[in-house]
Amino acid sequence: MRIRPILAAGLVLLATACTGGGDQATGQSTAPATEDAVPPEQRDRSVLIPGIEIKAYNDPQHVRAPQRVAYDESPPFGGTHDASWAACTGVVYTKPVRNENMVHALEHGAVWIAYNPETLPAAGVEALAKRVTGVPYMVMSPYPGLDKPVSLQSWGHRLKLDDPADPRVEAFVSALKQNRYTHPEPGAPCENPTFDQENPPPFDPAPAPDGSAPVGS
């Protein structure tokens, strides 16, 4: 199920909420003592972002390359994925990366910024790369054939945009990067020494063939 909020004040409320749960006067945390005490509306502030897509992915499975997953979204943002995750330690990939590896990075709490190299100007690519480079749990890559210049993914969440300077980019990252309530494996690493960042598993734009693993639900 997708949710498309139309709250005009969403970004203002989100920016306020994402500054943290601390008391600005005392510097002390005002967060509830237990996870169960956190109200649902505070667990996922991204629901306030206009245009956000949200979809539940339960019980994700692993595949091994070269097996494909029959993703029903492009770019995908959850579901079955490769057993090896794409390194997401603020890496800006210059080559398109296999979907199955990128989705595993989302499971670990990363935000993936994908862009269409044909429609996003070089200045926009550079601006987004500055947001990502060296930032833990951020990753960026070109995504040929993307229907918008920019698409942001976290586990179960996606936001497609025309403008890389759109304030919703920061709102999305602030709400969802390492948000322990919105991805399956809080605390999982983004480092992956076995993943070749210079020559990652290649992206395949062709539809997944018969016999590919189901994405799950």
Side-chain angles (χ1 to χ4, degrees):
M1 180 179 69
R2 293 181 181 175
I3 302 173
R4 294 179 180 274
I6 55 174
L7 298 176
L11 288 179
V12 175
L13 293 174
L14 179 65
T16 302
C18 288
T19 57
D23 186 317
Q24 293 184 355
T26 65
Q28 296 179 349
S29 174
T30 58
T34 66
E35 182 172 313
D36 290 342
V38 179
E41 65 273 15
Q42 292 183 16
R43 296 185 181 192
D44 185 3
R45 291 287 181 172
S46 74
V47 299
L48 299 175
I49 302 175
I52 192 92
E53 299 173 86
I54 299 177
K55 188 173 183 177
Y57 290 99
N58 302 313
D59 193 27
Q61 304 297 309
H62 283 172
V63 298
R64 296 277 184 181
Q67 187 177 15
R68 300 276 304 280
V69 175
Y71 290 116
D72 54 359
E73 302 286 355
S74 182
F77 52 104
T80 295
H81 48 268
D82 195 272
S84 178
W85 61 93
C88 46
T89 52
V91 181
V92 176
Y93 292 95
T94 59
K95 301 176 182 178
V97 183
R98 183 168 171 263
N99 280 329
E100 288 80 357
N101 301 96
M102 283 298 205
V103 171
H104 195 158
L106 304 184
E107 185 183 44
H108 286 201
V111 168
W112 167 28
I113 299 181
Y115 67 93
N116 188 328
E118 297 296 324
T119 61
L120 184 64
V125 176
E126 182 179 357
L128 289 174
K130 288 181 178 178
R131 287 178 172 267
V132 172
T133 302
V135 179
Y137 292 88
M138 292 290 295
V139 62
M140 176 175 166
S141 70
Y143 197 93
L146 183 62
D147 59 352
K148 289 282 188 177
V150 180
S151 183
L152 288 80
Q153 289 71 227
S154 73
W155 185 268
H157 298 71
R158 184 175 64 186
L159 178 65
K160 292 185 175 182
L161 300 170
D162 293 307
D163 184 0
D166 192 308
R168 287 176 290 175
V169 173
E170 183 59 33
F172 186 99
V173 174
S174 296
L176 294 168
K177 183 169 72 79
Q178 288 187 280
N179 182 337
R180 67 185 184 276
Y181 301 116
T182 61
H183 67 97
E185 296 186 357
C190 257
E191 299 86 354
N192 188 353
T194 66
F195 193 82
D196 189 344
Q197 298 180 29
E198 299 301 322
N199 190 28
F203 169 76
D204 188 344
D210 293 342
S212 296
V215 66
S217 60

